[in-house]
Amino acid sequence: QVQLVESGGGLVRPGGSLRLSCAASGSIFRIYDMGWYRQAPGKQRELVAAIGSGGSTNYADSVKGRFTISRDNAKNTVYLQMNSLKFEDTAVYYCNVEVQANWYVPTDDYWGQGTQVTVSS
């Protein structure tokens, strides 16, 4: 089994910054894609940003130029640096990690518990 522990959410004013972290632990042979999703009240969960094992990144149009995803493979951790936050960034943010537990098994997707980000004046 794999556990994901998220941290870094909170309350911030518009224009402010937050940094989210998500650390994976447990039965890990290799981690492939890592990403952040968010879900606002009454809305579907949406992809915010993703990063492949080689470092390639993908961002939702709404966060391009403001958010930066990165990963530390030695720590099995993915980060989301969020700058110039807007009211509409308010949501619960979830990390998602694709993990291979052993070389002879397929990958599985794991989700973090979610961390609340609230942008308010």
Side-chain angles (χ1 to χ4, degrees), residues 15-27:
S17 298
L18 283 174
R19 188 191 194 211
L20 305 183
S21 300
C22 174
S25 62
S27 300

Side-chain angles (χ1 to χ4, degrees), residues 56-68:
S56 60
T57 58
N58 180 38
Y59 294 93
D61 288 342
S62 59
V63 307
K64 283 181 181 176
R66 300 188 297 122
F67 291 11
T68 302

Side-chain angles (χ1 to χ4, degrees), residues 51-90:
I51 183 167
S53 56
S56 60
T57 58
N58 180 38
Y59 294 93
D61 288 342
S62 59
V63 307
K64 283 181 181 176
R66 300 188 297 122
F67 291 11
T68 302
I69 190 171
S70 61
R71 62 191 287 170
D72 184 333
N73 292 326
K75 296 181 179 180
N76 292 335
T77 300
V78 60
Y79 305 96
L80 185 67
Q81 178 66 43
M82 304 185 293
N83 298 329
S84 303
L85 282 159
K86 304 176 180 180
F87 293 119
E88 52 264 41
D89 294 318
T90 296

